[in-house]
Amino acid sequence: MKTSAVEKTANYVILIVFALVILGPVGVILSLALGPESASVAREGRLFHWENFAEAWEVGRFGQYMATSVVVAVVVVIVAVTASILAGYALGTMRFRFADVIFYVFLLGIMVPTEAIIVPLYFDLRTIGLTNTVWGVAFPQIAMSIAFGTYWMRTYFRTTNRAMIEAAQLDGASSFRILWQILVPIGRPAILTLVLLVFMWTWNEFLVPLVMSPNGSVRTAPLGLAFFQGQYTQGTALLAAGAVMVALPVVALYIFLQRYFIKGMLEGAVRE
């Protein structure tokens, strides 16, 4: 079915409008981050002030906070994605008693908001001595990510080519080999999409690090940015520079994985 010139023009106009709406705030933040910190600096005549990033990095201690965020994010992504693949494979390809009940239990992790469980969870982790540690910040996010990851991977495994699995079984392949040598390689778009989503959610998480590390020893980048804002409410250039640095890892990872992310969102599975 051919599209008329009027329809094409209307589509481009709509896309351009939405792109401007989305990219407009990004452009404002970048302009503030590269702008002068004060009127006296503005009179120097320089167009870009790259020193704002260095000053914000040093004064706001973003090096320490971003290192903590990287450690927490890597731990959460590795554990959550691996567990999600295993749980999704079992629930999506195998038939056993109470499989549906177990799956609905996993779905409770998506339905229950973090705010409803954060207080009792804090007391539980404090009892076993995990508050103010990386594990105390990572464990709750691992559990929340596994809930969605199991749902995501179960959907992928349920739509895989059953004939391919049966052929591998006839050749004597074990369930473990079928998973890691056949299904995981062809499911790379779905898995990398899950990696990107889990990393983004973990990196941007604010409530869990705030509650689970009351003394601030495990302070992540978004939490550090919030405290930096409280110290520099008037320094818009430094705040904008800090915001750009905090958002940069997620943007960079998305740009690197965008091909797989788009393919995983559109397809997400190998279909018969």
Side-chain angles (χ1 to χ4, degrees):
M1 185 176 180
K2 294 184 178 180
T3 305
S4 65
V6 176
E7 290 177 329
K8 288 183 179 180
T9 304
N11 290 335
Y12 281 115
V13 170
I14 293 174
L15 291 175
I16 291 172
V17 170
F18 276 100
L20 292 176
V21 171
I22 295 173
L23 296 178
V26 177
V28 172
I29 294 296
L30 287 175
S31 63
L32 290 174
L34 295 172
E37 186 178 353
S38 62
S40 59
V41 177
R43 286 193 288 268
E44 296 180 3
R46 289 189 294 119
L47 183 60
F48 300 116
H49 297 266
W50 300 99
E51 68 276 7
N52 291 339
F53 294 96
E55 184 176 354
W57 181 273
E58 181 179 357
V59 175
R61 296 193 297 174
F62 282 105
Q64 174 186 346
Y65 300 149
M66 294 185 74
T68 303
S69 287
V70 169
V71 172
V72 173
V74 169
V75 170
V76 172
V77 168
I78 292 176
V79 177
V81 172
T82 302
S84 298
I85 291 174
L86 295 173
Y89 175 63
L91 295 173
T93 63
M94 302 177 183
R95 299 294 176 264
F96 53 90
R97 293 182 62 186
F98 307 116
D100 292 336
V101 175
I102 295 174
F103 175 66
Y104 291 131
V105 171
F106 275 105
L107 288 184
L108 287 176
I110 303 176
M111 302 174 187
V112 178
T114 307
E115 293 79 3
I117 61 173
I118 192 66
V119 174
L121 188 59
Y122 167 76
F123 286 107
D124 290 339
L125 293 179
R126 189 183 68 173
T127 302
I128 59 178
L130 288 181
T131 54
N132 298 312
T133 65
V134 171
W135 293 109
V137 176
F139 278 150
Q141 299 182 77
I142 289 173
M144 292 184 292
S145 299
I146 288 177
F148 172 80
T150 299
Y151 167 78
W152 179 268
M153 296 309 303
R154 176 181 179 268
T155 303
Y156 158 68
F157 286 121
R158 283 176 65 90
T159 54
T160 52
N161 192 323
R162 299 296 305 179
M164 180 174 54
I165 297 177
E166 293 172 357
Q169 291 173 340
L170 290 175
D171 289 339
S174 62
S175 297
F176 186 84
R177 185 176 180 182
I178 292 173
L179 172 61
W180 295 110
Q181 295 188 8
I182 299 177
L183 298 182
V184 167
I186 63 177
R188 184 181 301 174
I191 295 173
L192 291 180
T193 299
L194 180 61
V195 168
L196 179 59
L197 292 174
V198 172
F199 179 86
M200 179 182 65
W201 294 335
T202 305
W203 186 271
N204 293 330
E205 180 61 37
F206 181 85
L207 181 60
V208 172
L210 177 65
V211 175
M212 297 305 170
S213 181
N215 65 4
S217 60
V218 188
R219 185 173 291 175
T220 57
L223 193 57
L225 181 62
F227 282 92
F228 186 64
Q229 181 180 6
Q231 298 173 357
Y232 293 89
T233 54
Q234 301 299 323
T236 55
L238 295 183
L239 284 176
V244 170
M245 290 187 294
V246 171
L248 187 60
V250 176
V251 175
L253 185 63
Y254 174 77
I255 293 175
F256 181 72
L257 298 178
Q258 63 174 333
R259 178 165 60 95
Y260 299 103
F261 178 78
I262 295 173
K263 186 176 180 181
M265 295 297 292
L266 293 178
E267 300 178 5
V270 177
R271 302 181 184 275
E272 292 189 32

